[in-house]
Amino acid sequence: MKQTRLPEKPDAKSPAGADIRFIMEGPTGNMIHSTVPVGQTNRATRHRTVHEFWHVLSGHGQIWRSDDASQSVVDLEAGVSIDIPAGTAFQYRNTGESVLQFICISMPPWPGDDEAEFVDGPWEATVGST
């Protein structure tokens, strides 16, 4: 059995540009805490094999998701949960006046940064650009 505490400082940056803190990892998945600063728009990506579930803790933002069948933009605010199936293109941004914070669960566990491929999204990224 494991127990962890949220780290004070970020452990890393996601390929898209969010600050991430590692919370828990196991054989079937892992969990991170993500933060997106005010005004930040992250780079659009698509995951090759990982399926994600997000639950928004605080702040306001938007996420665009697109697959072969449809696309949508969802407002992110405390209490909203979304999924990002493997192969879905997505881009997210902070549209509020405070940090956007959410929990992300990946299944299977995140294999490394080359899991994400960069794609064209609807918004110009303000971080994560090369």
Side-chain angles (χ1 to χ4, degrees):
M1 294 188 294
K2 294 181 180 181
Q3 176 179 332
T4 62
R5 184 174 298 274
L6 187 66
E8 282 187 41
K9 295 181 180 179
D11 295 305
K13 278 211 180 283
S14 74
D19 289 328
I20 58 174
R21 292 166 172 83
F22 303 122
I23 299 175
M24 189 71 62
E25 186 168 335
T28 58
N30 64 328
M31 182 168 52
I32 63 168
H33 177 275
S34 293
T35 58
V36 181
V38 173
Q40 182 168 300
T41 299
N42 288 351
R43 193 149 180 211
T45 59
R46 177 185 299 124
H47 296 161
R48 301 173 201 282
T49 63
V50 170
H51 188 109
E52 290 186 346
F53 295 122
W54 291 13
H55 180 75
V56 180
L57 300 171
S58 65
H60 290 87
Q62 291 181 313
I63 185 167
W64 163 81
R65 293 175 291 170
S66 179
D67 62 18
D68 292 334
S70 65
Q71 65 177 333
S72 67
V73 174
V74 173
D75 290 331
L76 300 174
E77 61 186 21
V80 171
S81 297
I82 56 113
D83 74 336
I84 303 173
T88 299
F90 67 100
Q91 185 178 23
Y92 55 105
R93 62 186 179 175
N94 183 331
T95 59
E97 297 180 9
S98 62
V99 173
L100 175 64
Q101 297 185 69
F102 58 93
I103 298 293
C104 172
I105 297 171
S106 296
M107 296 176 293
W110 185 257
D113 285 349
D114 43 334
E115 166 67 17
E117 62 179 331
F118 298 115
V119 298
D120 292 331
W123 306 304
E124 184 175 340
T126 58
V127 325
S129 300
T130 56

